[in-house]
Amino acid sequence: MRHHRSDVIDRAIAVLDEYGLESLTMRRLATELGVQPSALYHHVPNKQTLLAAVADEIVRRGRRPRRAKEWDRRVVELCGELRDTMLAYRDGAEVVVTAHTFGLGADEPASQLRQTLREGNLPDDLVDVATRALLHLVFGHTTEEQTALQATSAGAIDRPPGGPADFERGLELVLDGLRFKASR
């Protein structure tokens, strides 16, 4: 059976979600698809490209309609969407953060945040810094939350991770500073 690139990405996400990032190898993926590992290289040239495509697909699957009218509420929507999207898949945060850090895959979350911050009448230099700060907040909080959830389910720790309320409070602190800067 001949597979398409989308089949490879879909199966990679299924392997990621079921077994975790450490088990998502080209060999395992090929076995899951019933092909030789070399057949995967027709679709993705290496594992880094595969992980970037997986990150892009995870982000794509998590898109939600925008409802907020004000720029700061749209920032909350975007950041919440990204957090929820990464938490939806085992090791999803690690995959998305790694792809972003290495400049692989689409730059969609960053570009959407940048555009939304521009609509808040922030100066360009502040837009860039604010985009990075917001992404660092989302990535850091979500990675810690996902790690704590996995550790709790394995019985390794007995404290609950910081959840949505903690995330939103941190986000509001950053937004308070941006609103202040935008009003000047």
Side-chain angles (χ1 to χ4, degrees):
M1 170 187 238
R2 182 161 166 80
H3 296 285
H4 298 281
R5 187 173 198 271
S6 61
D7 300 324
V8 173
I9 305 308
D10 287 345
R11 194 71 200 127
I13 291 173
V15 169
L16 173 74
D17 205 30
E18 186 170 348
Y19 302 106
L21 182 56
E22 72 281 349
S23 296
L24 179 55
T25 64
M26 297 299 266
R27 183 173 305 283
R28 178 178 210 129
L29 183 55
T31 300
E32 292 273 334
L33 290 166
V35 299
Q36 293 296 315
S38 59
L40 295 178
Y41 297 104
H42 294 288
H43 304 288
V44 289
N46 52 47
K47 186 172 179 183
Q48 291 76 19
T49 305
L50 172 67
L51 291 177
V54 166
D56 288 347
E57 182 61 17
I58 286 172
V59 169
R60 188 194 67 72
R61 288 181 182 184
R63 284 189 201 128
R64 299 188 290 232
R66 303 284 171 254
R67 291 187 168 82
K69 302 292 184 225
E70 298 297 319
W71 70 271
D72 52 346
R73 297 295 93 204
R74 282 198 312 277
V75 166
V76 171
E77 281 183 345
L78 287 166
C79 291
E81 175 184 288
L82 182 57
R83 174 190 166 272
D84 294 347
T85 295
M86 291 188 293
L87 288 175
Y89 298 93
R90 181 176 177 175
D91 297 331
E94 187 175 353
V95 171
V96 173
V97 170
T98 299
H100 174 80
T101 301
F102 284 93
L104 301 170
D107 190 34
E108 184 174 320
S111 61
Q112 286 184 16
L113 276 173
R114 220 175 263 112
Q115 177 59 38
T116 301
L117 290 167
R118 281 189 186 107
E119 293 168 13
N121 295 318
L122 296 169
D124 283 341
D125 62 325
L126 188 55
V127 165
D128 290 337
V129 171
T131 298
R132 286 191 302 277
L134 288 163
L135 286 175
H136 291 162
L137 173 67
V138 176
F139 289 160
H141 187 281
T142 308
T143 299
E144 180 182 9
E145 184 177 2
Q146 190 161 62
T147 301
L149 286 167
Q150 291 171 356
T152 301
S153 72
I157 62 173
D158 61 357
R159 67 171 176 79
D166 185 52
F167 173 74
E168 289 172 14
R169 286 182 69 202
L171 189 55
E172 284 301 323
L173 286 172
V174 174
L175 283 169
D176 284 347
L178 292 173
R179 287 182 199 107
F180 175 76
K181 290 287 192 180
S183 69
R184 295 175 73 192

